[in-house]
Amino acid sequence: MSGAGRWAPLILCLLQAAPGSPHLAPPLNVTLLSQNFSVYLTWLPGLGSLQNVTYFVSYQGSFTPRRWQKVEKCAGTRALVCSLMCLKKQDLYNKFKGRVQAVSGSARSPKVQSKYFDYLSEVEPAPPILVVTQMEKILGVNPTYQLPPCMPPLDLKYEVEFWKEGTGNKTLFPATPHGQPVYIPLQLTTSGRHCLRARTVYTFISPKYSDFSKSSCLVLEVPGLFWIQTSFGNLSAQ
C-alpha cells in the first residue's frame, strides 16, 4: 500500500472530527434482508465513524420512485438495523428499497440506498410453532405462526418429521396446507419418547423451505393430552 493510501483512513477520521466539518462518512453495506417473514434494513458504520452517531431511515416503493417515506420508529436510532415491515403506505406487492443517513450534531453523511427488495419472491419463511394433541390411536399436529399483521396472503404449507427418540428412522409426512392438521397414526406398540419437528414450505414460483423447528419430544402414554411448543423448542403439556 502506498504512503498516501496508508494514511487515508486517519486523515478522513480527523476531517470528520474537525469542528465545522459538514459531512460524515456514509454508512457501509446497506442491505435489505428477510428473516422469519419480516424484512430488515441493515448497515455498518462509515469509515472512521464517531461514537455519537445516530441514523435516520426512509424507504421508497417502486411505483413512487421520487417519494421517500420516513421510518419514524428508526428516526435517530443508534442501532444498525431497522425493521421495514408494516410501514405507513407500504405496499408489499411491489418492490421497495431503503436508505440510511448518519447524523452527528450538525454533520450529516450522504444518504446510502439499498437495492430493491421483492417481498413475494425474496421473503424468508419461519418454521412453524407446533401444537400437538394425543388421541388413542392418532397424534394430531397443528402449526401456528407469529406472522406480521400486514403480510399478504402467501401459499404456506408445512412438513412434519416424526421419529422414536434414539433411532435414526425419521418419517417425513407430505406437505400440508397451513391451517390443516397432520394426523400421525399410532400403532398399539407405539410407546416411549417420540420426537417431531416441522418446517415451512413457501411457494411463489418455486418452493422455498424454512429451517426445521427445534426437535420436540414427548412420552406417548396418556391419550387426551395436548402440547404446545414453547419458544425453547420443547413441548409443554396442557
Side-chain angles (χ1 to χ4, degrees):
M1 181 182 294
S2 66
R6 185 183 306 115
W7 293 104
L10 177 58
I11 293 171
L12 179 60
C13 181
L14 292 175
L15 287 173
Q16 291 168 2
S21 176
H23 294 294
L24 296 175
L28 303 173
N29 296 351
V30 179
T31 306
L32 277 173
L33 58 85
S34 177
Q35 183 179 27
N36 295 341
F37 294 110
S38 292
V39 181
Y40 302 91
L41 184 70
T42 65
W43 62 90
L44 294 175
L47 184 64
S49 183
L50 306 176
Q51 291 185 351
N52 60 340
V53 172
T54 57
Y55 299 94
F56 290 79
V57 176
S58 55
Y59 81 96
Q60 179 190 84
S62 60
F63 277 3
T64 55
R66 297 184 179 181
R67 185 179 303 171
W68 287 90
Q69 301 287 343
K70 295 180 180 179
V71 182
E72 299 293 345
K73 61 186 176 182
C74 295
T77 182
R78 295 184 182 274
L80 300 177
V81 60
C82 174
S83 172
L84 293 192
M85 280 297 293
C86 302
L87 303 176
K88 184 179 180 180
K89 298 182 180 180
Q90 185 180 33
D91 182 3
L92 293 177
Y93 287 101
N94 294 301
K95 296 179 181 180
F96 61 95
K97 62 182 176 181
R99 74 178 182 186
V100 60
Q101 181 183 43
V103 176
S104 180
S106 61
R108 284 168 166 71
S109 76
K111 297 173 182 178
V112 184
Q113 302 179 19
S114 71
K115 295 180 180 179
Y116 273 110
F117 185 90
D118 186 340
Y119 185 85
L120 294 180
S121 64
E122 298 183 64
V123 64
E124 291 294 333
I129 300 170
L130 300 181
V131 178
V132 182
T133 303
Q134 182 183 353
M135 294 164 275
E136 185 173 357
K137 297 181 180 180
I138 294 176
L139 196 66
V141 182
N142 274 290
T144 62
Y145 293 95
Q146 295 179 345
L147 301 174
C150 63
M151 192 185 81
L154 302 180
D155 180 7
L156 298 181
K157 297 181 180 180
Y158 69 107
E159 295 177 341
V160 175
E161 275 191 342
F162 180 71
W163 70 97
K164 185 170 184 178
E165 188 178 42
T167 68
N169 298 324
K170 292 184 173 72
T171 300
L172 179 65
F173 288 84
T176 302
H178 169 52
Q180 297 183 17
V182 167
Y183 293 110
I184 302 174
L186 302 177
Q187 305 297 326
L188 294 177
T189 56
T190 302
S191 62
R193 285 176 61 83
H194 285 69
C195 304
L196 46 80
R197 62 179 187 173
R199 65 180 178 183
T200 300
V201 185
Y202 165 56
T203 302
F204 180 61
I205 297 175
S206 58
K208 182 181 291 188
Y209 298 85
S210 75
D211 293 334
F212 274 100
S213 60
K214 294 181 180 178
S215 300
S216 302
C217 300
L218 62 154
V219 179
L220 298 179
E221 290 182 351
V222 184
L225 289 180
F226 72 94
W227 294 263
I228 297 177
Q229 192 174 37
T230 69
S231 58
F232 300 101
N234 56 304
L235 291 171
S236 175
Q238 306 293 313

